[in-house]
Amino acid sequence: MMINRSLLLLLSITSPSRAFNFASSPSHIKQHISNNNDSFLESPIVHNRREFFGSILTASTILTSSAAIAADGASESAITDKIYIEFKGIANSNAADAPPTKDRIVIGLFGNDAPQPVSVLKQLVSKQGYLSKCKQLDTTRLLQKEQLEANKVYNACLENEDTAGVTYDYSSVWRIIKDERIDVGAVSGKFVARENPLFEGKNNLSHDYGVVSVRRGDDGGYGFTIFPGKKGSSAAAVLDEDNIVVGRVLEGMDVVERLNEMPVVKSSSVNYMALTGGAKGTVAPSRACRYGGPMYCNENKPLRKVLIESTGTL
């Protein structure tokens, strides 16, 4: 049996001072090694080096596996906090006359993986709320009536800017795209004039069934998204790119399933005047659209209004 020259080359590279040049050795040394290569390979030096490279391979495997877990999903993330959300208005079935129910979900938050967004969410479910500044007054209204209304909303906001924080109380589920996303927490009333929070940070967690996330930046409002779809889907890829994973639903996935199955508005993009040959027209935006931003004007809203009735920490 011939000696493994690759092993000798590797030993020479890793330890130049102890390098053994097999090719340039005298013929009687080569013969001696060939006849005794079993004992040579089992020498203490070779044995130690073999253990050394084995440990490197093991460590590399562990690191690779750990990285794969970190980027794989949220199942391995540590839960640092728990919050609950109670919904009002979810039907027991899709029937129009089905009575609404009160339903609760419990969300486990990943404070280590997304500290800043988790901090904001915890404030939003607290009694004190999340303190946010009022949006700058828009003085460009063409109609006097609209400008007076904008002034009124702005002045009312200033009165409570430093004392009343934004909460999820009576905010709504404002968009449902089946198996893709459930968007929760569209604030209303006095809170629509507040500046949106800036959700910062990025982690390697990906979206799978039941994951909760927030949109990165300040254009996603105060809301969060529950993912009701499959890991690896195109919808999950979109959320992985745009959102920050902040937790997962621990209890109440049956509630999430019923939300996912709710009928939604689908006709808001159809212009019936244009279909019959008439002029194209647009529907005037509501107050929520004007003061809350485009996120409140999207279609795919539930046909039945679903509100957050109460929230808190556990």
Side-chain angles (χ1 to χ4, degrees):
M1 182 173 64
M2 297 299 293
I3 191 167
N4 190 328
R5 298 195 180 194
S6 298
L7 176 60
L8 291 176
L9 178 60
L10 181 59
L11 296 178
S12 300
I13 294 173
T14 56
S15 182
S17 62
R18 297 184 180 181
F20 181 83
N21 192 333
F22 184 86
S24 61
S25 301
S27 58
H28 67 281
I29 295 179
K30 294 180 182 178
Q31 184 63 39
H32 175 73
I33 292 176
S34 298
N35 294 336
N36 300 277
N37 78 84
D38 289 338
S39 61
F40 176 81
L41 290 176
E42 296 303 325
S43 66
I45 294 176
V46 175
H47 178 74
N48 290 340
R49 287 173 175 168
R50 181 181 296 169
E51 287 189 344
F52 172 72
F53 288 110
S55 64
I56 291 179
L57 179 61
T58 302
S60 175
T61 303
I62 293 174
L63 290 174
T64 302
S65 301
S66 300
I69 290 174
D72 195 25
S75 59
E76 301 295 328
S77 296
I79 294 173
T80 58
D81 306 274
K82 292 182 181 180
I83 62 174
Y84 70 87
I85 309 286
E86 287 189 353
F87 297 97
K88 179 182 179 181
I90 306 176
N92 285 317
S93 69
N94 289 332
D97 57 349
T101 60
K102 294 182 180 180
D103 300 279
R104 170 186 284 209
I105 64 172
V106 174
I107 300 173
L109 299 176
F110 305 148
N112 296 331
D113 298 286
Q116 190 267 350
V118 165
S119 175
V120 174
L121 288 179
K122 288 169 61 180
Q123 294 176 66
L124 287 168
V125 301
S126 69
K127 293 182 179 180
Q128 296 77 18
Y130 174 79
L131 291 177
S132 178
K133 297 295 183 181
C134 297
K135 296 177 181 177
Q136 292 184 353
L137 176 63
D138 183 1
T139 59
T140 62
R141 308 287 181 186
L142 296 178
L143 298 179
Q144 184 181 18
K145 181 179 179 180
E146 286 193 350
Q147 188 61 60
L148 290 174
E149 184 181 13
N151 294 345
K152 182 179 179 180
V153 171
Y154 179 73
N155 292 329
C157 181
L158 289 178
E159 291 178 2
N160 302 304
E161 184 179 43
D162 298 324
T163 58
V166 180
T167 69
Y168 281 140
D169 291 347
Y170 298 102
S171 61
S172 63
V173 177
W174 65 275
R175 179 169 61 184
I176 298 174
I177 303 178
K178 186 177 179 181
D179 297 333
E180 295 186 16
R181 62 191 302 152
I182 301 171
D183 292 317
V184 182
V187 298
S188 59
K190 59 185 177 182
F191 296 142
V192 298
R194 298 291 188 95
E195 291 282 358
N196 293 338
L198 176 64
F199 288 114
E200 300 175 297
K202 188 174 183 179
N203 53 45
N204 293 325
L205 303 179
S206 57
H207 285 74
D208 56 10
Y209 185 64
V211 160
V212 176
S213 63
V214 295
R215 184 174 175 84
R216 188 178 297 104
D218 62 355
D219 60 347
Y222 288 89
F224 60 89
T225 299
I226 302 173
F227 182 60
K230 294 182 179 180
K231 177 182 174 181
S233 63
S234 58
V238 170
L239 291 176
D240 288 344
E241 180 69 24
D242 297 337
N243 286 24
I244 307 169
V245 172
V246 297
R248 69 163 49 251
V249 176
L250 301 177
E251 301 174 22
M253 282 306 299
D254 60 316
V255 178
V256 174
E257 281 298 321
R258 282 159 51 209
L259 280 170
N260 189 46
E261 295 292 336
M262 287 192 70
V264 297
V265 175
K266 283 292 187 182
S267 60
S268 61
S269 60
V270 178
N271 191 318
Y272 294 101
M273 292 293 291
L275 290 177
T276 57
K280 293 183 179 180
T282 57
V283 179
S286 65
R287 287 184 61 187
C289 291
R290 292 200 299 269
Y291 300 115
M295 65 175 290
Y296 301 103
C297 308
N298 294 339
E299 62 173 6
N300 295 308
K301 289 183 178 180
L303 288 176
R304 181 196 297 269
K305 180 176 285 188
V306 179
L307 300 176
I308 293 180
E309 187 171 51
S310 65
T311 62
T313 57
L314 296 173

